[in-house]
Amino acid sequence: MREKKVGVWLVGALGSIATTVIVGALSLGRGLAEPTGMITATEAFDGLGLAPLDGLEFGGCDLRRGGLRDAARHVMRETGVLSYEILDELDEPLTGIEEDILMGTARNCGEAIERLAASPVTHDRTARQEIETVRRQFRDFKKKKSLDELVVVNLASTEPPLVLQDAHLETDAFERALDRNEPGVVKASTIYAYAAVQEGCPYINFTPSSGALIPAVIGLAGRRGVPVMGNDGKTGETLVKSALAPLFQCRNLDVLSWEGFNILGNMDGCVLDHPENKESKIKSKDQVLSKILGYPLHSRVHIHYVPSLDDQKTAWDFIHFRGFLGSKMSLQFIWQGYDSLLAAPLILDLVRLVELAKRRGEGGLMPHLASYFKAPLGVEEHRLYEQFQMLLRYAQAVRA
Ligand SMILES: NC(=O)c1ccc[n+]([C@@H]2O[C@H](COP(=O)([O-])OP(=O)(O)OC[C@H]3O[C@@H](n4cnc5c(N)ncnc54)[C@H](O)[C@@H]3O)[C@@H](O)[C@H]2O)c1
């Protein structure tokens, strides 16, 4: 039997993570790298029939113009990973993928993102027209590459938060708002997510942008049997938090304060330096602790842009806690990592897992993928270990 051909459409295709995903998959497919960091490459996922990495076809959209090869060289300069010999070897496939990176939409994305766009952002088209264009891009790509499945992943810059209105709650109400062409109801992330679900494409929101998986889109995904999941990939500080916070519970220690300071230097950091974009990120990072500990605490997340750091992110967390006889003690940790290299293997995992879910007839939110997200939709469990067990149980059930 012919293996299913799977495509991956990356929104924000010239960004650091998207470029690392593509370079990573091509390198793995050619045996030039190891799948370290990918959970689906471990024994627990053997025999599930996951899509092979060397068969994935990549395309996508961005607001900037520029070549994927230049983007790859930029990421590699910033991280020092992969040699120029390897990049030279990938030159040909990267050039091929470049042809399938089209222009996206910046609708209601705010000034920080509009500034990235190659040409001035105009508002002469309706949201419905933009949805139709994106749907056509998906269909054309599927046809061009003879794909059986296309997974759409949002890796675009973080938008300012969407204020949820009645029109976002139900698909019919959302359709009526589109008919009325109401301004402000739709952000770019909503357009991509809605277009994906309409086309039956599994969809992942790796960003904190709340405009993407609105209830109307999730509801439609459930009814149409389309797997969707988000929000905001859990790759660094929040990953450590979700592993460490249960420790205090296990010893009945009261966490009094948890202050997290993040400094980062890439374009993501530059966009997040904008207050309204930063708000989205802080919201999704913020809820983890009180949900795990079960009580409110003094906890703040600080994010600062330090250009010279490039793709490296440093998080310093100070945890103040109280123990026996009221004694006050503290724990501090420093996490240093390359953002894109932490994120890319998770995207490859997620692509394979939502494609598998679609083949199994599953639709709507995917709770077993909670461990991949800072703010997993529809899941109250925030402890990393328990979330990971949910994923392993799912893999076991698929095999059974
Ligand atoms: N790196 C991590 O560890 C991590 C973790 C969780 C979430 N994220 C989120 O993932 C996203 C991508 O991160 P990155 O480091 O690759 O950022 P990046 O700034 O390098 O790339 C984002 C890309 O998206 C493009 N873009 C912006 N708005 C767009 C739109 N409306 N349509 C199409 N393209 C658009 C930009 O031009 C840019 O090329 C960010 O939202 C970030 O907050 C990153």
Side-chain angles (χ1 to χ4, degrees), residues 318-349:
F318 182 90
I319 305 143
H320 201 201
F321 64 96
R322 187 169 46 213
F324 200 45
L325 304 178
S327 53
K328 284 186 175 175
M329 297 169 262
S330 65
L331 165 70
Q332 299 176 43
F333 71 80
I334 294 174
W335 168 272
Q336 281 182 309
Y338 289 112
D339 254 3
S340 311
L341 292 157
L342 288 161
L346 307 191
I347 307 295
L348 293 173
D349 274 348

Side-chain angles (χ1 to χ4, degrees), residues 104-116:
T105 167
R107 180 172 285 261
N108 292 325
C109 279
E111 194 198 322
I113 293 178
E114 286 192 5
R115 251 190 270 140
L116 300 174

Side-chain angles (χ1 to χ4, degrees), residues 15-333:
S16 300
I17 302 183
T19 308
T20 312
V21 168
I22 296 170
V23 169
L26 294 175
S27 304
L28 285 165
R30 285 162 178 71
L32 302 170
E34 294 292 322
T36 316
M38 280 183 68
I39 295 301
T40 56
T42 62
E43 216 180 315
F45 295 84
D46 282 352
L48 297 190
L50 294 170
L53 296 172
D54 57 1
L56 298 178
E57 296 281 355
F58 289 95
C61 67
D62 207 293
L63 300 177
R64 297 182 295 137
R65 281 193 215 291
L68 189 56
R69 284 165 306 162
D70 291 341
R73 276 172 174 69
H74 177 74
V75 172
M76 295 319 146
R77 256 196 314 275
E78 289 196 347
T79 59
V81 175
L82 283 189
S83 64
Y84 283 97
E85 288 78 33
I86 291 181
L87 282 182
D88 284 345
E89 203 168 323
L90 301 182
D91 224 53
E92 206 184 305
L94 289 175
T95 312
I97 295 167
E98 253 171 44
E99 284 174 22
D100 293 310
I101 298 181
L102 310 179
M103 197 42 72
T105 167
R107 180 172 285 261
N108 292 325
C109 279
E111 194 198 322
I113 293 178
E114 286 192 5
R115 251 190 270 140
L116 300 174
S119 40
V121 176
T122 54
H123 301 284
D124 49 356
R125 303 180 68 226
T126 65
R128 194 180 287 289
Q129 284 169 332
E130 290 190 332
I131 291 168
E132 285 310 316
T133 303
V134 175
R135 288 183 66 173
R136 198 174 335 108
Q137 290 176 349
F138 296 160
R139 281 198 299 270
D140 290 348
F141 184 63
K142 276 181 90 168
K143 194 166 164 207
K144 177 177 172 188
K145 299 284 177 183
S146 310
L147 300 176
D148 298 294
E149 193 57 84
L150 179 64
V151 178
V152 177
V153 187
N154 183 17
L155 292 174
S157 315
T158 302
E159 295 170 354
L162 177 85
V163 181
L164 215 58
Q165 308 167 19
D166 287 346
H168 298 127
L169 302 181
E170 301 286 345
T171 314
D172 288 348
F174 184 62
E175 277 289 323
R176 286 194 295 275
L178 287 178
D179 285 338
R180 291 193 296 271
N181 194 26
E182 283 178 19
V185 170
V186 169
K187 288 191 184 286
S189 62
T190 329
I191 289 177
Y192 298 123
Y194 195 56
V197 173
Q198 293 266 21
E199 287 299 317
C201 302
Y203 172 89
I204 297 292
N205 183 26
F206 202 74
T207 80
S209 299
S210 58
L213 287 173
I214 54 171
V217 173
I218 297 172
L220 184 67
R223 290 192 297 281
R224 296 251 175 113
V226 183
V228 295
M229 195 55 184
N231 288 333
D232 204 4
K234 186 156 80 172
T235 56
E237 188 207 24
T238 313
L239 175 72
V240 182
K241 269 182 175 173
S242 65
L244 206 52
L247 174 152
F248 296 94
Q249 274 187 318
C250 293
R251 283 288 176 274
N252 191 19
L253 297 167
D254 294 338
V255 179
L256 305 170
S257 325
W258 193 314
E259 293 283 311
F261 297 86
N262 296 267
I263 50 175
L264 72 162
N266 53 19
M267 194 162 62
D268 183 32
C270 181
V271 170
L272 291 177
D273 207 35
H274 226 260
E276 48 176 1
N277 304 64
K278 189 185 296 192
E279 195 188 331
S280 292
K281 192 60 131 189
I282 287 181
K283 263 190 188 157
S284 75
K285 276 167 103 55
D286 235 12
Q287 50 179 280
V288 173
L289 289 175
S290 56
K291 290 225 167 132
I292 292 179
L293 296 168
Y295 51 86
L297 67 153
H298 179 89
S299 166
R300 274 179 306 185
V301 178
H302 310 255
I303 302 174
H304 300 286
Y305 176 49
V306 179
S308 67
L309 282 175
D310 300 328
D311 195 48
Q312 195 167 58
K313 180 153 80 194
T314 298
W316 168 58
D317 278 39
F318 182 90
I319 305 143
H320 201 201
F321 64 96
R322 187 169 46 213
F324 200 45
L325 304 178
S327 53
K328 284 186 175 175
M329 297 169 262
S330 65
L331 165 70
Q332 299 176 43
F333 71 80

